Amino acid sequence: MAADGNPLLRIDGVSVRFGGIVALDSISFDVAHGQICGLIGPNGAGKTTLFNCLSRLYRTGAGRILFEGKQLLDVPRHRIAALGIGRTFQNLALFKTMTVRQNVMIGGHCRSRGGFLANALRLPFVAREERKLDERAMSLIESLDLRRVAEVPVGGLTFATQKRVELARALAGEPKLLLLDEPAGGLNHEEVDRLRETIVSIRDRFGVTILLVEHHLNLVMRVSDKVVALDFGRKIADGTPAEVQQNADVIRAYLGAPAA
Amino acid sequence: MAIISETTRPVAASFAGLPLRTWQTLGVALVFIVACVLPFTTSSYHLFQLTMVLVYAIALLGLNILTGFNGQVSLGHGAFYAIGAYTTAILLDNTAIPYWATLPIAGIVCLGAGFLFGLPALRLEGLYLALATFALAVATPQLLKFRGFEKWTGGVQGIVIDKPSPPAGVPLDSDQWLYFVCLAVTVPMFLIGWNLLRGRTGRAIVAIRDHPIAAASMGIDTAMYKSLTFGVSAMYTGIAGALGALAAQFVSPDSFSVFLSISLIVGLVVGGIASIFGVLFGAAFIVFIPNIADQISKAAPWAIYGIFLIGFMYVLPTGVAGGVKRLGSLLGRMGKR
Ligand SMILES: Nc1ncnc2c1ncn2[C@@H]1O[C@H](COP(=O)(O)OP(=O)(O)OP(=O)(O)O)[C@@H](O)[C@H]1O
Ligand SMILES: [Mg+2]
């Protein structure tokens, strides 16, 4: 899918420590254009930490992260969205007092440019931009089945609905790479099935590459083109879902028992 | 994915057959008409009070943009009010600049001062920022008395300024004229504030308050936004200070004590945090309640003031704006039945 054969994302020897804890220990892997890449591992394996490195929320001790060949670690966190990396958060990070629609519109902040002066005077381009942002937000709200709650402050919505708002907000930034941190949190079986379809259709419709963190292994294995497994900050497997599922270290990490 | 047991309902979009927007427009038009008629029906003392309501409304709007919408608590906005007031007074005292031209200059000076204060304030949050701004408020009267500046500030004596008089041919007395000057500044300031808060910048300002890390991840330059918001906020309050100086015809260090900053916070909470129109009520509270308290008891006016304040918070815990909102949704629900 990549015209030039280079990966969209290259993680190269990334390490992070918190005091004595090594949260990530020299992690390396690639994600190709258009792939859905699953990222699995037991609690505390370092999955969210890796996302936070990509969002530049955590400082990396060593290593490089290349996005479209560009060194991400030189980019301040507020420029990440404009480069084309969008994300959702494991424990929700919505703007609670604002409505669903406003939250999704903020997702489009990086794709608009009206500053203080232009807004204060409500220049014509600001009004135009605002209309475009609003239309895009409403179409995402529609496609993620959030129409009914569009004008409701997000603070009062259920966890699962808020997760969907986060997804819509991330898509409003028109990302090339989408980081999903446990999107199935709070969903029942049926809803997980629907989510699987949603993830695939997002990839196909918007042409985004997806890095998916999820404990729901069934979902990950069915939807991913490739899976990377972490345990205690180290990479223990990297391959197709079938390969990773049979990997002895992965089985041991998940079952806590020595491999047969 | 079914949406189960959502706890909030959307804000009512219409009432009595008319969309909420129409009601809002009607309300604004009514307030404006009343504001234009009032000066012809009151004594000059009451007119002075009304002028001060406009002045404080602008100051409170500035404070609300910063504290209500952006979440940066300032207990020191009296300092920016003072800077605006002194800028106008010093210019009128030392130059031939007309009074109206001092207003934008006061605004720009305070924009710069607020922005610069906002930069180190980026490192402070919540109560720590409140303390830093409080320090500013405490220091202001003494800085204004500082010997080295006496040549311009007039030291402890302050500066007396002339009352602006209406241009020849305008059938208004000077109190009425000043009132309309303030109104002519207030209206565009509110319009600008509304524009700033309703679109992309406004969403970013509130997003930073609600979740700064998520805001940054959405591409909002939080540091730049916070310092600019500080600057804009100080600009509003500074322009209010400049108008206040014209209205009082006098500035002195002790007019800008800590109590001014605290009064502004009181007005903010009374009017309603993060509400644009609420600041009008907050401003009315600041101007009228001390007066009413004084009429009730000459001996202990501040005790009466305190009772008013506590009573008010008890009746309207989310300020006037919050009360109106609740009333609106109540009427909306009744209208649907
Ligand atoms: N901000 C932080 N400060 C200190 N330690 C942290 C911080 N963030 C993560 N850690 C530690 O780093 C390790 C990896 O945590 P991380 O949240 O990345 O795990 P995870 O794979 O996302 O786990 P889960 O599946 O439970 O979400 C854990 O030991 C965690 O305690
Ligand atoms: Mg995690």
Side-chain angles (χ1 to χ4, degrees):
Chain A
M1 284 170 226
D4 50 7
N6 283 329
L8 178 66
L9 178 71
R10 164 160 290 170
I11 291 168
D12 182 14
V14 168
S15 297
V16 173
R17 12 172 76 250
F18 296 107
I21 300 172
V22 182
L24 289 178
D25 188 1
S26 197
I27 300 294
S28 303
F29 66 91
D30 288 353
V31 182
H33 289 264
Q35 250 181 358
I36 295 179
C37 173
L39 185 59
I40 62 169
N43 291 115
K47 308 177 294 291
T48 300
T49 301
L50 185 65
F51 272 20
N52 286 342
C53 291
L54 287 165
S55 307
R56 300 286 290 116
L57 300 180
Y58 284 175
R59 201 166 296 151
T60 349
R64 297 185 310 160
I65 301 177
L66 300 178
F67 179 72
E68 296 188 307
K70 187 179 160 70
Q71 165 69 286
L72 266 196
L73 302 180
D74 298 335
V75 179
R77 58 175 74 158
H78 66 266
R79 295 260 161 74
I80 295 292
L83 286 184
I85 302 181
R87 75 171 287 181
T88 67
F89 294 81
Q90 181 174 350
N91 295 313
L92 298 175
L94 287 166
F95 308 113
K96 279 205 175 66
T97 61
M98 302 170 125
T99 64
V100 169
R101 183 205 203 115
Q102 287 171 326
N103 269 275
V104 179
M105 284 176 84
I106 293 176
H109 185 92
C110 61
R111 300 285 165 232
S112 48
R113 63 199 170 87
F116 273 72
L117 195 59
N119 268 267
L121 303 174
R122 193 85 178 177
L123 297 181
F125 91 86
V126 169
R128 266 200 310 277
E129 202 171 71
E130 193 72 4
R131 245 190 334 270
K132 255 177 52 191
L133 271 179
D134 193 32
E135 274 165 22
R136 175 148 175 85
M138 284 317 284
S139 99
L140 285 167
I141 283 172
E142 195 73 60
S143 51
L144 284 165
D145 198 14
L146 291 163
R147 175 107 229 184
R148 263 192 48 212
V149 291
E151 307 302 333
V152 170
V154 293
L157 301 175
T158 60
F159 188 79
T161 310
Q162 293 197 38
K163 282 244 143 188
R164 236 160 46 247
V165 178
E166 278 214 342
L167 184 54
R169 182 179 72 175
L171 288 171
E174 298 170 28
K176 295 170 190 157
L177 174 67
L178 182 58
L179 314 175
L180 301 178
D181 201 345
E182 302 197 11
L187 299 187
N188 64 29
H189 267 293
E190 231 170 275
E191 291 168 337
V192 170
D193 260 357
R194 296 267 310 267
L195 176 66
R196 185 172 51 79
E197 288 162 22
T198 308
I199 291 174
V200 173
S201 84
I202 283 172
R203 191 260 308 265
D204 297 342
R205 234 179 93 194
F206 300 103
V208 292
T209 304
I210 294 174
L211 189 53
L212 169 69
V213 166
E214 193 40 77
H215 281 296
H216 217 284
L217 287 192
N218 185 22
L219 170 67
V220 178
M221 295 305 174
R222 284 179 66 186
V223 75
S224 303
D225 302 307
K226 153 187 181 141
V227 175
V228 174
L230 303 181
D231 190 24
F232 291 114
R234 284 174 306 110
K235 185 172 91 172
I236 53 174
D238 178 347
T240 65
E243 286 165 5
V244 171
Q245 253 168 326
Q246 278 149 29
N247 181 291
D249 287 329
V250 173
I251 295 170
R252 193 184 311 130
Y254 271 90
L255 298 179
Chain B
M1 282 171 268
I3 300 162
I4 331 148
S5 70
E6 306 296 0
T7 53
T8 19
R9 61 183 106 236
V11 194
S14 71
F15 172 65
L18 287 178
L20 215 58
R21 266 286 168 79
T22 314
W23 283 108
Q24 280 170 350
T25 315
L26 284 175
V28 170
L30 187 72
V31 170
F32 183 71
I33 290 168
V34 169
C36 287
V37 173
L38 271 180
F40 301 102
T41 62
T42 52
S43 69
S44 93
Y45 178 66
H46 281 135
L47 188 52
F48 172 75
Q49 288 186 317
L50 289 176
T51 304
M52 290 312 290
V53 169
L54 294 179
V55 167
Y56 283 127
I58 297 174
L60 288 178
L61 182 54
L63 182 59
N64 217 343
I65 289 173
L66 183 71
T67 299
F69 289 92
N70 197 220
Q72 302 192 68
V73 178
S74 171
L75 294 181
H77 254 44
F80 298 110
Y81 188 95
I83 294 173
Y86 265 88
T87 303
T88 282
I90 291 171
L91 286 172
L92 289 179
D93 202 33
N94 294 288
T95 68
I97 297 174
Y99 68 91
W100 51 265
T102 66
L103 300 176
I105 298 174
I108 289 166
V109 167
C110 287
L111 179 74
F115 183 80
L116 290 178
F117 191 84
L119 289 178
L122 288 173
R123 298 172 170 278
L124 304 170
E125 256 168 52
L127 287 174
Y128 295 92
L129 178 60
L131 284 192
T133 51
F134 183 69
L136 189 65
V138 172
T140 299
Q142 259 141 47
L143 289 177
L144 292 173
K145 287 176 194 165
F146 179 59
R147 287 275 168 139
F149 303 148
E150 208 169 279
K151 187 163 159 277
W152 297 285
T153 59
V156 190
Q157 306 297 321
I159 306 169
V160 176
I161 49 188
D162 291 333
K163 191 181 238 177
S165 47
V170 177
L172 294 173
D173 65 35
S174 59
D175 293 323
Q176 290 169 332
W177 173 248
L178 188 67
Y179 173 86
F180 280 108
V181 168
C182 288
L183 188 62
V185 175
T186 306
V187 170
M189 293 298 275
F190 268 67
L191 211 62
I192 286 172
W194 182 57
N195 278 340
L196 213 48
L197 292 168
R198 70 175 161 146
R200 178 178 187 261
T201 42
R203 282 190 301 269
I205 285 170
V206 176
I208 290 169
R209 177 194 73 189
D210 280 5
H211 204 308
I213 289 176
S217 299
M218 296 303 121
I220 297 166
D221 185 347
T222 51
M224 185 47 104
Y225 258 88
K226 282 173 84 169
S227 354
L228 269 177
T229 304
F230 218 117
V232 168
S233 167
M235 179 189 80
Y236 269 79
T237 306
I239 289 176
L243 288 170
L246 292 178
Q249 300 164 59
F250 177 58
V251 295
S252 78
D254 294 318
S255 336
F256 308 113
S257 68
V258 174
F259 188 74
L260 173 60
S261 296
I262 303 299
S263 286
L264 291 176
I265 285 287
V266 169
L268 173 76
V269 177
V270 164
I273 290 162
S275 155
I276 295 179
F277 84 96
V279 300
L280 288 169
F281 297 93
F285 190 96
I286 295 180
V287 172
F288 292 116
I289 296 300
N291 230 271
I292 294 172
D294 202 48
Q295 281 163 15
I296 294 175
S297 163
K298 285 267 181 296
W302 292 110
I304 304 288
Y305 179 89
I307 291 170
F308 265 112
L309 193 55
I310 290 170
F312 190 92
M313 288 295 104
Y314 190 74
V315 178
L316 289 173
T318 48
V320 175
V324 168
K325 210 170 172 183
R326 260 187 309 167
L327 188 72
S329 65
L330 200 73
L331 289 175
R333 249 174 291 153
M334 274 164 41
K336 274 196 194 125
R337 275 196 212 137

